[in-house]
Structure formats: C-alpha cells, structure tokens
Amino acid sequence: MSVDAIHKQLRQFLSCLKPGTLERPLLIAVSGGSDSLALLHAMADIQSDTSLKIQAATIDHSLRTEARAEAEFVHVISDRLNVPHHILTLDWKVGDKKTQASARLHRYRLLAQHAHDIGASIILTGHTFNDQMETCLLRARGGSGWWGLSGMRDIGMVPVWPEGEGLGLARPLLDMSRERLRDFLIERGISWIDDPSNENPAYERVRIRRYLTNEPHVVQEVERMQFELSERRTSIGLHLREWLQSHATWLPGGAIRMDTEACFDLPDAFLERLLMFLLPCVAGRQVTPRRERLHRLFDKFRQDDEKKMATLGGCLIDWSGADFFIVPEINSQDLMPDEITSGVWGGRVSITSQSGESVRIAAWGERKKPEHIDADRIPPLYLRRFLPVQLDDEGEVQSVPHLEHSSLISVQDLSENRMLSWLHPESQFFRG
C-alpha cells in the first residue's frame, strides 16, 4: 500500500479520539514484528509535522533468549525516529505457567502501568485484519457466544483491571491486512523481525492462520459474520446504556439499584449481557462470570421462590422488591486495613490521600458507626458494609469518605464509568 494511505488512515483515527487524548502522550506497543513497526514508523511520520507526543514500549517476555536482542532492535529504531522507547521486562514468578495466555495478561499489565507512568490515556497496538479473522475463528472453536464472535474493537478497554483503569486500547490498523502493512515497510526499505513462534504449529492460532491462508472463502464468511455481529453489539450496547440512564441509580461504593420490573421486561439476551458486565464492575473484579453460572442465575429468576437473592461473581443480587440491587460482597481481605496513599481499593473505588501520607482503609463491615455522622445519613447495613472507611489506630471507624466531605481523603467510584465504557460502541470509521 502507498505511504500516503496509511498516513491518511491514522490521521482519520486520531481525529476521532475524544478531546484531550492528543494532549497527552500516545503509547505504542511495538514488538519488532511487521505490524507494530509499520504503526511506529507511520505514527513517527505524523508526529514530525504535528504536536503529537508518541512513545513506544516493547515487552521482553523472558520466554526466548532472543527476546532481549529483539527489544534492543526496536529501541535502536525508535531512537532513530526520535521516539522515546522503554523495554519492559516480564518478571515471571516461581510456579507461573508460561503460556501465551498468561504472557498476554502480564503484557497488558506492564503496558498499562507504563502508560500511567508516562501520563498516557491510550495504548496503540498493531493488530490487523488478519488478527481479527484469526481471533474470531479461535473464539468460535472455543465455544464463544455471539458477543465474542463480534471480534476485537477498534477502540476498547485495556483487558486488565484495575491496572487498566482510565486507559483505552486502540487498534487503528484493524481493517488493514498484514500483507499491505508489509508492502508499506518494503516500500520504505524497512526490515522487521519474524517471531519463530508465529510459525510453530503447536499453537492453535498458527494452525488457524495457515488454514485461513489456504481457504480465502472462509475469510470472507468470517468477515461477514464479524461485521454483522459487531453492528449488533453496537446496537445493544447503545440500548443498554440508554436503559441504565432511565432505570438505574448508582449508589456509593459502586453498588447499583435498578427497577425490578424493567429488568425482567428486558429480553433475556439483553439482561444476560447487562449482568455479564455489571457483576465485575460492581465487584471490582477483572473477569466476567462464566455463562453457565449466569444461566443458573436465570433459572433462579424464573423460580417461584420466596428467597429472591443470590450471590455470583463477588456480588450479592437481590430482586425481592420493587428495586433490583447488585452490591459488592466483602471478604476477609476487604476487612483487613490497607495502607493507601493513592490507588484503587477493592477494584471499584479510587482513593487519594490529599496530604500525601498513607491512610488506613478497610471495608466498613459491621464496625460501629462513627458518632459524628448523623444517623439519618447512614445507609442500612447491606448498603454500607462494602464502603471503604478510614480507621484509627484502634481499628475504629474514623471517617467514611463517601458520606462526609474530607480534606484528607478523596474517593471516586469507578463502577459506573467502567460499565459505560464496556458498552460504548466501538469506532466504525474504518468500515468503508
């Protein structure tokens, strides 16, 4: 493809980012392969005549002896392009399973932490059309539902939590083939590194890649399926966002109250997707519950049982009255004091000590109510047990940041924004 074509596509992508994003550094994840190197070079071109500030990072997975040299290769290229570059080394712990899946998880954690360190709000990757097709077929073989088969988003969330809080993951080349990107590099006389694992048939993705290469008609079928399902995902995501605005209220600490009748008026597929995302957001967890466990919850919904309560995914779910509550469960770790200066507590509340000194934070649990807070401002036990409180040296509640203004501690609930981000329609501006 021509040099101008990739530049045009990337400029179009940049123009669609939310205001303020381009005022901060853009972090590009670069492996040394053709896809990410094409992204790096093209973005460096654009940076040269704009006010963009791009940085690059390469992960040394410590899985192959050549990995460090490959990371150094990217460092040299970045230096020539006047792009700040960091090598992030994955530190495997004793007993860790060194699989591609765990390496991916650790990779995004390192990238997310580095993005926070440099003040970036978005991470760019070189995923291509080929990666999209492979991912869809991999998910199909793994029994994924239609939402998974809708593929990767052009712009989505970093798939780690809470490390990915406040960060976006962008794939601006998702509609371009790997072959076209390599043509771009060849046209400029740029070489790249071929990871030998990309040719190892022991990995299912490699086998699927070869299969798709030999069966172009399958690629067309997968592309059609992925596009139609991504359109459906966008439509349902917008519907659920609007539904939440009309029928839900977010409560202090990340809990949510919804209209019970309105919940059960939703089609099962919509309610299932709503709960699939709500539960980890309320619980502050990284992963969604398994579909089979969610289906068992739906069976309980349909039973004529007086006890209309259940626990799932770190949440207590109560649909016994006019209000449908989902609140975080607390465990022994939540009840133990944690020294915090600034960070995410419980996966759902951002806590900052204004003085810069650490404060002792724990879940309220069944600790006594502080006398300085009026009784009529204190929620019932099931709506306060999970709230973070500041403890004194004796372990008593000193303050409840959610219920009182404090110049010492600020809190921000993360559940609502995380939920809305999950449902946000992906960009479709690459779709011809």
Side-chain angles (χ1 to χ4, degrees):
M1 67 179 301
S2 71
V3 172
D4 289 341
I6 189 171
H7 288 166
K8 180 180 179 180
Q9 179 127 335
L10 288 173
R11 289 181 189 275
Q12 185 182 24
F13 155 75
L14 293 171
S15 71
C16 293
L17 294 178
K18 65 182 181 181
T21 302
L22 300 184
E23 298 173 7
R24 305 170 68 175
L26 302 179
L27 178 60
I28 305 175
V30 186
S31 66
S34 58
D35 308 338
S36 58
L37 276 183
L39 176 61
L40 174 64
H41 277 272
M43 287 295 293
D45 292 341
I46 295 173
Q47 177 182 243
S48 66
D49 59 6
T50 66
S51 60
L52 283 181
K53 301 182 289 288
I54 66 173
Q55 295 197 31
T58 302
I59 306 295
D60 176 1
H61 291 87
S62 303
L63 294 176
R64 297 183 293 112
T65 56
E66 306 90 347
R68 191 69 187 184
E70 293 169 358
E72 296 287 356
F73 167 78
V74 177
H75 187 80
V76 171
I77 292 175
S78 300
D79 188 56
R80 290 174 183 166
L81 296 172
N82 294 316
V83 175
H85 175 266
H86 289 82
I87 299 174
L88 311 176
T89 303
L90 202 161
D91 183 20
W92 295 94
K93 306 300 182 184
V94 176
D96 283 349
K97 293 184 178 180
K98 297 182 179 181
T99 64
Q100 284 193 328
S102 59
R104 175 180 180 272
L105 185 66
H106 290 312
R107 175 168 70 248
Y108 278 117
R109 283 176 175 159
L110 283 176
L111 287 170
Q113 183 58 59
H114 186 62
H116 286 303
D117 290 344
I118 66 173
S121 63
I122 196 164
I123 300 171
L124 280 64
T125 69
H127 288 100
T128 66
F129 173 79
N130 303 68
D131 295 313
Q132 181 76 288
M133 297 299 98
E134 294 163 12
T135 296
C136 289
L137 203 52
L138 271 169
R139 291 178 178 178
R141 287 174 58 85
S144 176
W146 73 265
W147 192 280
L149 297 180
S150 61
M152 296 182 285
R153 296 174 184 264
D154 299 313
I155 301 175
M157 299 169 66
V158 178
V160 289
W161 187 264
E163 297 90 345
E165 189 271 320
L167 298 174
L169 180 66
R171 305 175 179 95
L173 303 179
L174 198 55
D175 214 39
M176 289 189 175
S177 70
R178 182 170 296 119
E179 291 73 20
R180 294 179 72 188
L181 293 178
R182 290 185 173 183
D183 288 343
F184 164 78
L185 293 176
I186 292 170
E187 183 177 341
R188 302 186 64 170
I190 300 168
S191 60
W192 62 86
I193 296 171
D194 285 317
D195 185 340
S197 66
N198 289 332
E199 299 299 326
N200 186 349
Y203 297 113
E204 186 176 15
R205 181 176 286 273
V206 174
R207 298 194 297 271
I208 284 180
R209 181 174 301 147
R210 292 179 177 179
Y211 171 72
L212 291 174
T213 300
N214 295 326
E215 303 289 345
H217 69 283
V218 175
V219 175
Q220 295 176 354
E221 294 173 3
V222 174
E223 180 183 16
R224 182 170 57 252
M225 173 201 71
Q226 183 271 323
F227 178 73
E228 291 175 354
L229 292 180
S230 69
E231 292 288 296
R232 181 182 180 190
R233 176 178 64 192
T234 298
S235 176
I236 291 180
L238 284 171
H239 178 85
L240 291 177
R241 283 170 63 93
E242 294 170 358
W243 185 93
L244 284 169
Q245 291 172 349
S246 300
H247 302 287
T249 302
W250 290 92
L251 305 174
I256 190 170
R257 179 179 64 224
M258 301 177 288
D259 180 277
T260 301
E261 184 177 352
C263 282
F264 290 111
D265 282 344
L266 282 171
D268 278 1
F270 283 42
L271 182 57
E272 176 181 338
R273 186 53 51 183
L274 183 72
L275 293 177
M276 183 75 77
F277 290 153
L278 269 178
L279 293 176
C281 290
V282 171
R285 294 189 175 184
Q286 177 173 314
V287 297
T288 59
R290 292 185 178 274
R291 291 169 63 198
E292 56 267 25
R293 297 195 66 190
L294 198 57
H295 291 163
R296 287 200 292 270
L297 177 63
F298 270 66
D299 290 340
K300 190 171 177 60
F301 287 161
R302 299 184 185 96
Q303 294 172 3
D304 187 15
D305 192 335
E306 292 185 2
K307 186 180 180 182
K308 297 182 178 181
M309 299 178 67
T311 57
L312 179 62
C315 294
L316 171 65
I317 307 162
D318 182 347
W319 63 97
S320 59
D323 292 323
F324 189 117
F325 286 99
I326 303 179
V327 304
E329 284 191 295
I330 59 172
N331 52 42
S332 57
Q333 183 176 352
D334 294 328
L335 293 169
M336 294 294 293
D338 189 10
E339 298 285 339
I340 295 178
T341 303
S342 177
V344 177
W345 178 87
R348 57 184 182 274
V349 181
S350 176
I351 296 179
T352 303
S353 168
Q354 302 295 346
S355 67
E357 298 180 359
S358 64
V359 290
R360 302 179 76 221
I361 300 293
W364 194 342
E366 299 186 16
R367 293 181 172 92
K368 292 181 181 180
K369 308 171 188 178
E371 295 181 357
H372 65 275
I373 301 180
D374 293 339
D376 59 357
R377 297 186 57 228
I378 296 180
L381 181 62
Y382 74 100
L383 290 180
R384 72 169 187 263
R385 296 179 69 248
F386 51 84
L387 292 179
V389 294
Q390 181 184 5
L391 303 180
D392 60 22
D393 293 339
E394 283 71 43
E396 298 297 328
V397 178
Q398 181 175 342
S399 68
V400 185
H402 278 92
L403 302 184
E404 53 186 315
H405 175 74
S406 171
S407 60
L408 300 178
I409 304 172
S410 65
V411 294
Q412 178 186 4
D413 292 328
L414 304 175
S415 302
E416 180 179 6
N417 282 339
R418 186 184 178 197
M419 179 66 184
L420 294 179
S421 295
W422 231 326
L423 295 175
H424 195 280
E426 71 275 52
S427 167
Q428 292 291 340
F429 53 85
F430 297 132
R431 297 295 185 182

